Amino acid sequence: MASVNKVILIGNLGRDPELRYTKNGQAVANFSLATTDSYNSREGQREERTEWHRIVAWAKTAELCAQYLAKGRSVYIEGQLRTREWEDKDGNKRQTTEVHAQTVQFLGPRGQGGSGGGSGQRAAESSASAPDAPPADEDIPF
């Protein structure tokens, strides 16, 4: 049976992208993205719920994100969920789930966060910048 692993998010950056390079010289950018939805509570009060997402971008997409995105900037992300495991410095097994961005589109006015990228400016397309498979865990610089 076929399966699909696709995530589409529109939200605001919670922090500036952090750009690093693997041992092989491949760029990788990490940032957090907040998505907020509104709903009515059982008491009839309007409430908001914010979800935080860890975003990882690779290659040219990573470099463009680091150049044009900043905390508060609105962005559209398409990607896949990936879960990775590692051991922390105390030997405890840790796990995290991230969105590996394949398409990133900058939203909002030019002056909102970041130093560039107008409304609708596309930072990257899926196959042009995202690797088919992420590098081995030992190549990830975080």
CSV table of all heavy atoms in Angstrom, one decimal, residues 66-98:
chain,number,residue,atom,x,y,z
A,66,ALA,N,18.7,31.3,5.8
A,66,ALA,CA,19.5,32.1,6.7
A,66,ALA,C,19.7,33.5,6.2
A,66,ALA,O,19.8,34.4,7.1
A,66,ALA,CB,20.9,31.4,6.8
A,67,GLN,N,19.7,33.7,4.9
A,67,GLN,CA,19.9,35.1,4.4
A,67,GLN,C,18.6,35.9,4.5
A,67,GLN,O,18.7,37.1,4.9
A,67,GLN,CB,20.3,35.0,2.9
A,67,GLN,CG,20.5,36.3,2.3
A,67,GLN,CD,21.0,36.2,0.8
A,67,GLN,OE1,21.1,35.1,0.3
A,67,GLN,NE2,21.2,37.3,0.2
A,68,TYR,N,17.4,35.4,4.2
A,68,TYR,CA,16.2,36.2,4.1
A,68,TYR,C,15.2,36.1,5.3
A,68,TYR,O,14.3,36.9,5.4
A,68,TYR,CB,15.5,35.8,2.8
A,68,TYR,CG,16.2,36.3,1.6
A,68,TYR,CD1,16.9,35.4,0.8
A,68,TYR,CD2,16.3,37.6,1.3
A,68,TYR,CE1,17.6,35.8,-0.3
A,68,TYR,CE2,17.0,38.1,0.2
A,68,TYR,CZ,17.6,37.1,-0.6
A,68,TYR,OH,18.3,37.5,-1.7
A,69,LEU,N,15.3,35.0,6.1
A,69,LEU,CA,14.4,34.9,7.2
A,69,LEU,C,14.9,35.4,8.5
A,69,LEU,O,16.1,35.3,8.7
A,69,LEU,CB,13.9,33.4,7.3
A,69,LEU,CG,13.2,32.8,6.1
A,69,LEU,CD1,12.9,31.3,6.4
A,69,LEU,CD2,11.9,33.6,5.9
A,70,ALA,N,14.0,35.8,9.4
A,70,ALA,CA,14.4,36.3,10.7
A,70,ALA,C,13.2,36.1,11.6
A,70,ALA,O,12.0,35.9,11.1
A,70,ALA,CB,14.8,37.7,10.7
A,71,LYS,N,13.4,36.1,12.9
A,71,LYS,CA,12.4,35.9,13.9
A,71,LYS,C,11.2,36.8,13.5
A,71,LYS,O,11.3,38.0,13.2
A,71,LYS,CB,12.9,36.3,15.3
A,71,LYS,CG,11.9,36.1,16.4
A,71,LYS,CD,12.5,36.4,17.7
A,71,LYS,CE,11.4,36.3,18.8
A,71,LYS,NZ,12.0,36.5,20.1
A,72,GLY,N,10.0,36.2,13.6
A,72,GLY,CA,8.7,36.9,13.3
A,72,GLY,C,8.3,36.9,11.9
A,72,GLY,O,7.1,37.2,11.6
A,73,ARG,N,9.1,36.5,10.9
A,73,ARG,CA,8.8,36.5,9.5
A,73,ARG,C,7.8,35.4,9.2
A,73,ARG,O,8.0,34.3,9.7
A,73,ARG,CB,10.1,36.4,8.7
A,73,ARG,CG,9.8,36.3,7.2
A,73,ARG,CD,9.8,37.8,6.6
A,73,ARG,NE,9.4,37.8,5.3
A,73,ARG,CZ,10.2,37.9,4.2
A,73,ARG,NH1,11.5,38.1,4.4
A,73,ARG,NH2,9.7,38.0,3.0
A,74,SER,N,6.8,35.7,8.4
A,74,SER,CA,5.9,34.7,8.0
A,74,SER,C,6.5,33.8,6.8
A,74,SER,O,7.1,34.4,6.0
A,74,SER,CB,4.6,35.3,7.5
A,74,SER,OG,3.9,36.0,8.5
A,75,VAL,N,6.2,32.5,6.9
A,75,VAL,CA,6.7,31.7,5.9
A,75,VAL,C,5.8,30.5,5.6
A,75,VAL,O,5.1,30.0,6.5
A,75,VAL,CB,8.2,31.2,6.3
A,75,VAL,CG1,8.1,30.3,7.5
A,75,VAL,CG2,8.9,30.5,5.2
A,76,TYR,N,5.8,30.0,4.4
A,76,TYR,CA,5.1,28.8,3.9
A,76,TYR,C,6.1,27.7,3.8
A,76,TYR,O,7.2,27.9,3.1
A,76,TYR,CB,4.4,29.1,2.6
A,76,TYR,CG,3.8,27.9,1.9
A,76,TYR,CD1,2.5,27.4,2.1
A,76,TYR,CD2,4.6,27.1,1.0
A,76,TYR,CE1,2.0,26.3,1.5
A,76,TYR,CE2,4.1,26.0,0.4
A,76,TYR,CZ,2.8,25.6,0.6
A,76,TYR,OH,2.3,24.5,0.0
A,77,ILE,N,5.9,26.5,4.4
A,77,ILE,CA,6.8,25.4,4.3
A,77,ILE,C,6.1,24.2,3.8
A,77,ILE,O,5.0,23.9,4.3
A,77,ILE,CB,7.3,25.1,5.7
A,77,ILE,CG1,8.0,26.3,6.4
A,77,ILE,CG2,8.3,23.9,5.7
A,77,ILE,CD1,9.4,26.5,6.1
A,78,GLU,N,6.7,23.5,2.9
A,78,GLU,CA,6.2,22.1,2.5
A,78,GLU,C,7.4,21.2,2.8
A,78,GLU,O,8.5,21.5,2.5
A,78,GLU,CB,5.9,22.0,1.1
A,78,GLU,CG,4.5,22.5,0.7
A,78,GLU,CD,4.2,22.3,-0.7
A,78,GLU,OE1,4.6,21.2,-1.3
A,78,GLU,OE2,3.5,23.1,-1.4
A,79,GLY,N,7.1,20.0,3.4
A,79,GLY,CA,8.2,19.1,3.7
A,79,GLY,C,7.7,17.8,4.2
A,79,GLY,O,6.5,17.4,4.0
A,80,GLN,N,8.6,17.0,4.8
A,80,GLN,CA,8.3,15.7,5.3
A,80,GLN,C,8.7,15.7,6.8
A,80,GLN,O,9.7,16.3,7.2
A,80,GLN,CB,9.1,14.6,4.6
A,80,GLN,CG,8.8,14.5,3.2
A,80,GLN,CD,9.6,13.4,2.5
A,80,GLN,OE1,10.7,13.2,2.9
A,80,GLN,NE2,9.0,12.7,1.6
A,81,LEU,N,7.9,14.9,7.6
A,81,LEU,CA,8.3,14.6,9.0
A,81,LEU,C,9.4,13.6,9.0
A,81,LEU,O,9.4,12.6,8.3
A,81,LEU,CB,7.1,14.1,9.7
A,81,LEU,CG,6.0,15.0,10.1
A,81,LEU,CD1,4.9,14.3,10.8
A,81,LEU,CD2,6.5,16.2,10.9
A,82,ARG,N,10.4,13.9,9.8
A,82,ARG,CA,11.5,12.9,10.1
A,82,ARG,C,11.8,12.9,11.6
A,82,ARG,O,11.8,13.9,12.2
A,82,ARG,CB,12.8,13.4,9.4
A,82,ARG,CG,12.7,13.6,7.9
A,82,ARG,CD,13.3,12.4,7.1
A,82,ARG,NE,13.0,12.5,5.7
A,82,ARG,CZ,13.9,13.0,4.8
A,82,ARG,NH1,15.1,13.5,5.2
A,82,ARG,NH2,13.6,13.1,3.5
A,83,THR,N,12.0,11.7,12.1
A,83,THR,CA,12.3,11.5,13.5
A,83,THR,C,13.7,11.0,13.6
A,83,THR,O,14.1,10.1,12.8
A,83,THR,CB,11.3,10.6,14.2
A,83,THR,OG1,10.0,11.1,14.0
A,83,THR,CG2,11.6,10.4,15.7
A,84,ARG,N,14.5,11.6,14.5
A,84,ARG,CA,15.9,11.1,14.7
A,84,ARG,C,16.1,10.9,16.1
A,84,ARG,O,15.5,11.5,17.0
A,84,ARG,CB,16.9,12.0,14.0
A,84,ARG,CG,17.0,13.4,14.6
A,84,ARG,CD,18.0,14.3,13.9
A,84,ARG,NE,17.9,15.6,14.4
A,84,ARG,CZ,18.6,16.1,15.4
A,84,ARG,NH1,19.5,15.3,16.0
A,84,ARG,NH2,18.5,17.3,15.8
A,85,GLU,N,17.1,10.0,16.4
A,85,GLU,CA,17.4,9.7,17.8
A,85,GLU,C,18.9,9.9,18.0
A,85,GLU,O,19.7,9.8,17.0
A,85,GLU,CB,17.1,8.2,18.1
A,85,GLU,CG,15.7,7.9,18.0
A,85,GLU,CD,15.4,6.4,18.2
A,85,GLU,OE1,16.3,5.6,18.3
A,85,GLU,OE2,14.2,6.0,18.3
A,86,TRP,N,19.3,10.2,19.2
A,86,TRP,CA,20.7,10.4,19.5
A,86,TRP,C,20.9,10.2,21.0
A,86,TRP,O,19.9,10.1,21.8
A,86,TRP,CB,21.2,11.8,19.1
A,86,TRP,CG,20.7,12.9,20.0
A,86,TRP,CD1,21.4,13.5,21.0
A,86,TRP,CD2,19.5,13.6,19.9
A,86,TRP,NE1,20.6,14.5,21.6
A,86,TRP,CE2,19.4,14.6,20.9
A,86,TRP,CE3,18.4,13.5,19.1
A,86,TRP,CZ2,18.3,15.4,21.1
A,86,TRP,CZ3,17.3,14.3,19.3
A,86,TRP,CH2,17.3,15.2,20.3
A,87,GLU,N,22.1,10.1,21.5
A,87,GLU,CA,22.4,10.0,22.9
A,87,GLU,C,22.9,11.4,23.4
A,87,GLU,O,23.8,12.0,22.7
A,87,GLU,CB,23.5,8.9,23.2
A,87,GLU,CG,22.9,7.6,23.3
A,87,GLU,CD,23.9,6.6,23.8
A,87,GLU,OE1,24.8,6.9,24.5
A,87,GLU,OE2,23.7,5.4,23.5
A,88,ASP,N,22.4,11.9,24.5
A,88,ASP,CA,22.9,13.1,25.0
A,88,ASP,C,24.2,12.9,25.7
A,88,ASP,O,24.7,11.8,25.8
A,88,ASP,CB,21.9,13.8,25.9
A,88,ASP,CG,21.5,13.1,27.1
A,88,ASP,OD1,22.3,12.2,27.5
A,88,ASP,OD2,20.5,13.4,27.8
A,89,LYS,N,24.8,14.0,26.3
A,89,LYS,CA,26.1,13.9,26.9
A,89,LYS,C,26.1,13.0,28.2
A,89,LYS,O,27.1,12.5,28.6
A,89,LYS,CB,26.6,15.2,27.3
A,89,LYS,CG,25.8,16.0,28.2
A,89,LYS,CD,26.3,17.4,28.5
A,89,LYS,CE,25.4,18.1,29.4
A,89,LYS,NZ,25.8,19.5,29.6
A,90,ASP,N,24.9,12.7,28.7
A,90,ASP,CA,24.8,11.9,29.9
A,90,ASP,C,24.5,10.4,29.5
A,90,ASP,O,24.3,9.6,30.4
A,90,ASP,CB,23.7,12.4,30.8
A,90,ASP,CG,24.0,13.8,31.4
A,90,ASP,OD1,25.2,14.0,31.6
A,90,ASP,OD2,23.1,14.6,31.5
A,91,GLY,N,24.4,10.1,28.2
A,91,GLY,CA,24.1,8.8,27.8
A,91,GLY,C,22.7,8.4,27.7
A,91,GLY,O,22.3,7.3,27.4
A,92,ASN,N,21.8,9.4,27.8
A,92,ASN,CA,20.3,9.2,27.7
A,92,ASN,C,19.9,9.2,26.3
A,92,ASN,O,20.4,10.1,25.5
A,92,ASN,CB,19.6,10.2,28.5
A,92,ASN,CG,19.9,10.2,30.0
A,92,ASN,OD1,20.0,9.2,30.6
A,92,ASN,ND2,20.1,11.4,30.5
A,93,LYS,N,19.1,8.3,25.9
A,93,LYS,CA,18.5,8.3,24.5
A,93,LYS,C,17.5,9.4,24.4
A,93,LYS,O,16.6,9.6,25.2
A,93,LYS,CB,17.9,7.0,24.2
A,93,LYS,CG,18.9,5.9,24.0
A,93,LYS,CD,18.3,4.7,23.3
A,93,LYS,CE,19.5,3.7,23.1
A,93,LYS,NZ,19.3,2.9,21.9
A,94,ARG,N,17.7,10.2,23.3
A,94,ARG,CA,16.8,11.3,23.0
A,94,ARG,C,16.2,11.2,21.6
A,94,ARG,O,16.8,10.5,20.8
A,94,ARG,CB,17.5,12.7,23.1
A,94,ARG,CG,18.4,12.8,24.4
A,94,ARG,CD,17.6,13.2,25.6
A,94,ARG,NE,17.4,14.6,25.6
A,94,ARG,CZ,16.5,15.3,26.2
A,94,ARG,NH1,15.7,14.6,27.0
A,94,ARG,NH2,16.5,16.6,26.2
A,95,GLN,N,15.1,11.8,21.4
A,95,GLN,CA,14.4,11.7,20.1
A,95,GLN,C,13.7,13.0,19.8
A,95,GLN,O,13.2,13.7,20.7
A,95,GLN,CB,13.4,10.6,20.2
A,95,GLN,CG,12.6,10.3,19.0
A,95,GLN,CD,11.6,9.1,19.1
A,95,GLN,OE1,12.0,8.2,19.8
A,95,GLN,NE2,10.5,9.2,18.5
A,96,THR,N,13.7,13.4,18.5
A,96,THR,CA,13.0,14.6,18.1
A,96,THR,C,12.4,14.4,16.8
A,96,THR,O,12.9,13.6,16.0
A,96,THR,CB,13.9,15.8,18.1
A,96,THR,OG1,13.1,17.0,17.9
A,96,THR,CG2,15.0,15.8,17.0
A,97,THR,N,11.3,15.0,16.5
A,97,THR,CA,10.6,15.0,15.2
A,97,THR,C,10.7,16.4,14.6
A,97,THR,O,10.5,17.4,15.2
A,97,THR,CB,9.2,14.6,15.3
A,97,THR,OG1,9.1,13.3,15.9
A,97,THR,CG2,8.5,14.5,14.0
A,98,GLU,N,11.2,16.4,13.3
A,98,GLU,CA,11.4,17.7,12.6
A,98,GLU,C,10.7,17.6,11.3
A,98,GLU,O,10.4,16.6,10.7
A,98,GLU,CB,12.9,17.8,12.3
A,98,GLU,CG,13.8,17.8,13.6
A,98,GLU,CD,15.2,17.5,13.3
A,98,GLU,OE1,15.6,16.7,12.4
A,98,GLU,OE2,16.0,18.1,14.1
